[in-house]
Amino acid sequence: MRLSAETVPPASVGRPAYDRRRQAAGIVHIGIGAFHRAHQAVYTDDAMGAGDRDWGIVGVSLRSGAVAAQLNPQGGLYTVATRSVAGSSLRVIGAVQRVLVASEDAQAVIDAIAAPTTHIVSFTVTEKGYLRAADGSLDLAAAKGASSLYRFVGAALAARHAAGLPGLTLLSCDNLANNGAVLRRLMREYLASEQGELVDWFEAQCRCPATMIDRIVPATTETDRAVIEGELGVRDEGAVVTEGFSQWVIENDFAGPRPCWEAVGAEMVSDVAPYETAKLRMLNGAHSALAYIGLGKRHKFVHQAIADPAIRPVIERLMRDEAAPTIDAAPGQDLAAYADALLDRFANPALHHRLIQIAMDGSQKIPQRWVETLAWHQERGARCPSIEAAVDAWIAFLRGGAHPIDDPLADRLRAAVAGPDAMRALFGDRGVLASEWRPD
Ligand code: CS2
């Protein structure tokens, strides 16, 4: 038996506190992976539970039909399992109404975004999904391709404009520095090239707030599904597993209506940058270091790597002595306490967060996680021994052959580390990740 609207879960399992059938879809979410289901969809479910209405989510997968096959037969329902040393709790989330697959039905995606009830299009398409060229501008050839977010949003904006409908809020929930401004610039570049007549309307009618999103969500495994089936009494193909902690800081700059996410734990602020920078350089920077250093020492999971006495001090220094000083903290933002909390979160043995999952797409992650910190210190004549150790571990990982390199720039990375001076080939003047930071 699959999870469905008819399922009566055990009393300990949370469930939607509102009438799902009466909600219009106010949000289209592009990139409906585990992270969205364990994070933004939970806030939205809470907001509707607290009395907000019509914020159902239409999920979109750009390429694969896997999530649609998991969720559509369950009417969009799925379980979030929260796991810590204190125990596990389950909750059924009802915010997602259905999942569309863009590669199978592009028009349905465009229609969903162009629907008058839609006010927000949110994104978790990962760093590479923004289709940036090496210099940060839009890779136009890729942006015209079949699985480009820009094509769908561009076509839907044209339909809204033609129908006299208002613009939209485009909400990036990916780990990019200045994610809102980046999305705005890239979307504008796409429109300027393909649909020039929409540029002014886009700028006047649409908003792209910045966000800092944080929750550790390992990929769900078959074992997770089996355990959850035991607890739930029915099979849930769409279940996700996560930690107790969750944070969402959002720039309060929306084009139209939005859920009252701040009533259910999100923070609406005028400037997300201090939170976003701290998260990218401390949490994600430490994560990537744990991944490459940990894999080099044959660990499999984050909690194992952080427990290794040879690794933990490197990670502590990376967060406290290298990343934290580069951050211009907001009033009340305590970076030392943040580092303490992160060490506890990494140590959570109830989550089996694979290092290899974090090691993926290094070329897309390392600039905002490590290189900005390296450059900040270099400008002041200082060095970052921990991040430098992490860079060495990345190079060893790329050279090692023990794991396949899952990265959109895999070929260029492989070529760069094949030569004698991998550091220069990666980070030097014309290196794959050339930036303001120069290795010596
Ligand atoms: C991780 C992130 O896979 C990765 O690269 O660093 O997904 C991380 O778990 C999240 O950003 C936590 O909010």
Side-chain angles (χ1 to χ4, degrees), residues 175 213-216 279 283-284 287 353 357-358 365 369:
N175 289 319
I213 62 282
D214 187 10
R215 196 166 206 191
I216 292 173
K279 197 252 171 175
L283 188 160
N284 296 116
H287 248 176
H353 195 188
Q357 186 184 345
I358 301 169
K365 296 173 174 175
R369 295 182 180 204

